[in-house]
Amino acid sequence: MNVTNVTGQADGSCQVEPQHMFVPVVVCLVLMLGLFLNIFSMWVFWCRTPQWKAGTVLQFHLAISDVIVCPLAPLIVVYFVQEQQQILTRPICWLKIILITVHFYGSILFLTLISIHRYVSVVYHSQDSRMKQKDFVQKLCLAVWVAMLLNGMLSAFLLDSNSTTENITLCSAFHLGQNTDLYFAFNFIIIVLGFLIPFTVLVVCYSRLVRSVSGISVCHQKGKLIKSKSRKMVTICLVIFGLCFMPTNVIRIVTIVVKKWFPNKCTILLHVETAYYVAWIFSLVNCCLDPLIYCFASQKFTKALRSSLRKIGVGVRTARQDIEQDSGLTTHIDPAAGTIKRETMAFTDTL
């Protein structure tokens, strides 16, 4: 990610100029809010949720992937204020690319795993599954971190700091001076593996989940609560993918195509870069939206959150309301029979 505009020079190349201050201001506001929400969520997980299950592990790792990108906020502000004068050294450039890449694709993969876990836990709640096993899920999370770290290091190596103009260090595919062909191929591989496949899996899981839940004739408040919570989670996940992840991936493809086949079209490159920064801002909004998933996916998190807020005098609920909500989430839907039935295992205890 670099903070520059592009204008043409006499030799046909594209000259670097500072971006507008609107970008770092909005980015910092988003990251500060995301840092607060995710630190609070991690505290609820760590201090207020004594017994972790598979779903809790996935949600905690998603919160970590959101937090790791927040330290970039001060760097972005300084970089803009100083107009890129000897601020972004090569090690910082590498670190920035790695953190952004790990956050972006790590969030996508953890959201996908949460979606798979939610689907298995609800639709196949009475059957055993590896996705319900805490040890197996922990190994999956470790594999995701290793894969994303390797992805970040490869991205940093390909972008590198090889685009340097006088005293300005650039870390962006917009000004990639070499390795263009290699980065072109690498980018499409990452988009397929890191976005298209996870998005397809998420859509399949949630479409089947919605069909399973919506096909029930519900005449009781308990069933309505279950359907409402499931639909809200499906909605927020699809919004995160559609609003935060899809625009950035699409514009990145356009960027690489323009850079590869139209490297001297500075005006086109400028418009693409501007669109990319707008999409990048939206991609960071997922830091603020992900905590909503914890509330919709886990009864344990919701109860711990309400308990924490009560202690500071916020969001106090009556005992009757708590009983109604909790009992509404301790029922199961039988899609075949079209009825609601109670079971010994809570609907969200496995989440």
Side-chain angles (χ1 to χ4, degrees):
M1 301 290 181
N2 184 42
V3 285
T4 56
N5 280 332
V6 187
T7 57
Q9 298 186 90
D11 59 359
S13 61
C14 297
Q15 182 181 1
V16 178
E17 294 183 358
Q19 257 288 4
H20 196 276
M21 284 298 297
F22 171 81
V23 175
V25 171
V26 175
V27 167
C28 288
L29 291 176
V30 171
L31 291 180
M32 289 174 60
L33 178 60
L35 179 64
F36 170 77
L37 292 175
N38 285 282
I39 288 294
F40 180 73
S41 298
M42 293 172 65
W43 176 80
V44 172
F45 284 128
W46 193 263
C47 300
R48 308 293 297 174
T49 310
Q51 295 182 348
W52 284 25
K53 294 193 176 182
T56 311
V57 173
L58 290 173
Q59 294 160 25
F60 185 77
H61 281 272
L62 176 60
I64 294 177
S65 71
D66 288 336
V67 167
I68 61 174
V69 75
C70 295
L72 290 177
L75 173 62
I76 293 173
V77 172
V78 174
Y79 189 47
F80 271 91
V81 171
Q82 297 294 326
E83 295 185 354
Q84 309 154 328
Q85 302 300 312
Q86 295 288 3
I87 296 298
L88 198 58
T89 60
R90 176 170 292 218
I92 296 178
C93 175
W94 274 60
L95 178 63
K96 184 161 72 77
I97 294 173
I98 292 174
L99 288 179
I100 290 175
T101 303
V102 170
H103 157 72
F104 188 80
Y105 289 104
S107 297
I108 291 176
L109 293 182
F110 284 123
L111 275 174
T112 304
L113 291 177
I114 289 174
S115 303
I116 296 174
H117 178 268
R118 179 74 175 183
Y119 167 72
V120 171
S121 299
V122 175
V123 178
Y124 301 102
H125 56 83
S126 61
Q127 302 178 19
D128 293 332
S129 172
R130 299 292 297 274
M131 286 300 298
K132 298 180 184 179
Q133 300 175 7
K134 180 180 175 181
D135 292 340
F136 176 75
V137 169
Q138 288 176 330
K139 294 177 182 178
L140 277 181
C141 292
L142 178 60
V144 170
W145 284 115
V146 172
M148 290 305 97
L149 182 60
L150 292 176
N151 180 25
M153 295 177 65
L154 284 173
S155 298
F157 171 76
L158 292 177
L159 290 177
D160 197 27
S161 305
N162 52 30
S163 297
T164 304
T165 304
E166 297 177 351
N167 61 344
I168 301 176
T169 302
L170 308 176
C171 298
S172 173
F174 295 103
H175 312 288
L176 187 64
Q178 44 188 304
N179 298 329
T180 305
D181 293 335
L182 183 59
Y183 185 77
F184 180 84
F186 175 76
N187 179 74
F188 276 94
I189 293 175
I190 292 302
I191 287 178
V192 171
L193 297 179
F195 176 73
L196 292 181
I197 292 179
F199 181 67
T200 302
V201 172
L202 180 140
V203 170
V204 171
C205 288
Y206 280 142
S207 61
R208 297 193 63 181
L209 175 61
V210 169
R211 183 174 56 184
S212 177
V213 174
S214 300
I216 308 301
S217 177
V218 179
C219 301
H220 199 281
Q221 182 66 23
K222 298 174 184 179
K224 293 180 180 179
L225 288 172
I226 294 173
K227 292 177 68 174
S228 175
K229 203 145 193 171
S230 295
R231 286 173 176 172
K232 288 178 180 178
M233 182 175 176
V234 171
T235 300
I236 191 65
C237 285
L238 292 178
V239 167
I240 290 175
F241 263 80
L243 179 67
C244 302
F245 299 137
M246 184 176 294
T248 305
N249 280 282
V250 172
I251 296 177
R252 182 179 291 130
I253 294 176
V254 176
T255 300
I256 302 303
V257 170
V258 171
K259 185 62 183 177
K260 180 176 175 61
W261 281 288
F262 308 99
N264 297 325
K265 300 292 183 179
C266 298
T267 302
I268 297 177
L269 195 60
L270 170 60
H271 292 318
V272 172
E273 185 178 13
T274 302
Y276 184 78
Y277 284 123
V278 173
W280 183 49
I281 292 175
F282 279 108
S283 72
L284 295 176
V285 173
N286 83 292
C287 296
C288 306
L289 295 179
D290 285 342
L292 295 177
I293 294 177
Y294 313 145
C295 297
F296 297 144
S298 175
Q299 179 188 0
K300 293 181 181 294
F301 181 88
T302 304
K303 292 173 67 176
L305 178 62
R306 292 205 307 267
S307 176
S308 302
L309 293 178
R310 284 195 196 100
K311 293 186 176 182
I312 60 176
V314 179
V316 178
R317 296 169 60 92
T318 65
R320 182 175 181 179
Q321 287 175 316
D322 289 337
I323 293 174
E324 289 178 353
Q325 173 129 348
D326 292 344
S327 64
L329 295 174
T330 55
T331 61
H332 281 297
I333 292 178
D334 185 354
T339 58
I340 304 174
K341 63 178 182 179
R342 296 186 62 89
E343 295 188 1
T344 56
M345 183 180 294
F347 178 77
T348 54
D349 280 350
T350 59
L351 305 181

